[in-house]
Amino acid sequence: MVGHADYDILIAAGGDGTVNQVVNELVDQDHCQDAPSETCLAVLPLGTANDFATSLTIHGQPSPCFRCV
């Protein structure tokens, strides 16, 4: 993953595995910096089950998610 320090937002477009990978990458990169990242994470639920997104009541068609970001 590209370093996230220069981005205001990262969009995890996929399922639970994708969200997990992006979050782990954000956390790993924060350990290499003096201050935690202020990069926001958006979840675009495009996976099969989307348990994480569903638990946050992010579900349905992805089009409304695009308007949020």
Side-chain angles (χ1 to χ4, degrees), residues 27-52:
V27 170
D28 286 346
Q29 288 189 16
D30 283 344
H31 287 291
C32 298
Q33 299 175 3
D34 293 335
S37 170
E38 294 184 13
T39 303
C40 295
L41 173 65
V43 177
L44 183 59
L46 298 176
T48 303
N50 299 315
D51 290 330
F52 178 75

Side-chain angles (χ1 to χ4, degrees), residues 48-64:
T48 303
N50 299 315
D51 290 330
F52 178 75
T54 300
S55 70
L56 297 176
T57 64
I58 304 170
H59 48 77
Q61 297 296 319
S63 298

